[in-house]
Amino acid sequence: MKTLRQYLDETPCEKPLKDLIELIAYQSIPIRDAFIDNQTYAGTENTYGEEQAALDKWADNHLISVLGESGLVQEIASEEQADIVRFPDALGKYAIVMDPLDGSSLIQVNLAVGTIIGIFRGKNALQKGEDLAVAMYMLYGPMTVLTITTGDGVSTFALNSKGIFALLKENIQMPEGKIFGSGGTRNEWLPGHQNFITHCEQKDGKLRYSGSFVADFHQILTYGGIYCYPATQGKTDGKLRLVFEANPIGFIAKQAGGAISDGTRDLLTVVPNKPDHRTPIYVGSKKIVESVESCMRGC
Ligand code: FDP
């Protein structure tokens, strides 16, 4: 059995970065323990005007407090915070981007949700996705699973009965597969996206969409295919966020041989203009993501 720490010790990551990765990964234990007492909505909205689940707030407060106390982190951009949270006295030189609990609408129905994290070296959380040092997510499904890249391939770990992350799969390569799923409703889709979905259907694509980006992506990482949250009528920037969601997941996708696009360009090359920068997202196997761009002009 290779533990997460043993795996990290084989990477060129510096010790404080390895400590930070482990610290974050093992917060999956208290976050998972908090599910049972945080099943309702909190009665508040986040900066995007979306209703916050109690667990969104719990996980956000918990991670900010643990990361602040660690002294390793200069700033955190969290989906649940309107502004960047800064720790000017921290000695460590890392910046975190995070969606503390992605897929909130599924908490009450006990389907898989997760925590998405990106780590940049330096003080600035608003960097291009391709400059991430680390991207990782913890998925709370039947198992608690950690998927991680430190910029040299993708590996997945499972939390075992002793509370240790043990290696499940390494050097994961995303195959070209047939799974597709899209957010938004059909009558709100724009013609280019409609063309692309028709193209997927004509190629015998298999529809899979749970309402949890991180869980849907995890399936695509294994079987291949594409997750989409497009621009829609009235919401031309889509729903998902570049900083907290697209970049960490896109970085993992690219490290596994896949790609991420907004329908016109590689999202990892885009400099965020603000923490809540939204973007249409197409992420998954390389060829199918490439085909999106031509479908936007008519398949
Ligand atoms: P949620 O708002 O429940 O946290 O990015 C947020 C997200 O979920 C994704 O995880 C998910 O894929 C998408 O939004 C679901 O949105 P729709 O309900 O519009 O399909």
Side-chain angles (χ1 to χ4, degrees), residues 78-124:
S78 166
E79 189 189 290
E80 301 304 328
Q81 299 289 330
D83 298 313
I84 289 179
V85 180
R86 295 196 166 84
F87 302 97
D89 297 333
L91 295 176
K93 297 278 181 285
Y94 300 103
I96 303 279
V97 292
M98 66 179 189
D99 182 352
L101 217 292
D102 178 68
S104 320
S105 70
L106 301 186
I107 295 166
Q108 294 191 63
V109 292
N110 199 29
L111 291 178
V113 297
T115 299
I116 303 173
I117 302 276
I119 306 176
F120 291 103
R121 289 192 177 87
K123 294 186 176 183
N124 179 12

Side-chain angles (χ1 to χ4, degrees), residues 195-253:
N195 286 341
F196 175 66
I197 296 300
T198 304
H199 168 77
C200 293
E201 289 164 347
Q202 285 168 350
K203 295 251 173 192
D204 293 329
K206 191 185 264 193
L207 180 62
R208 290 279 188 272
Y209 183 82
S210 75
S212 164
F213 176 40
V214 64
D216 288 335
F217 174 76
H218 193 67
Q219 181 169 200
I220 284 162
L221 183 64
T222 305
Y223 297 133
I226 191 162
Y227 169 97
C228 326
Y229 208 110
T232 57
Q233 282 169 26
K235 286 189 182 167
T236 49
D237 291 333
K239 176 182 180 191
L240 273 65
R241 294 84 180 174
L242 177 66
V243 173
F244 322 115
E245 292 163 317
N247 279 341
I249 296 290
F251 193 71
I252 291 170

Side-chain angles (χ1 to χ4, degrees), residues 57 118 143 161 166 169 206 221 236 279:
K57 289 187 79 170
M143 295 188 292
S161 57
K169 284 189 210 166
K206 191 185 264 193
L221 183 64
T236 49
T279 179

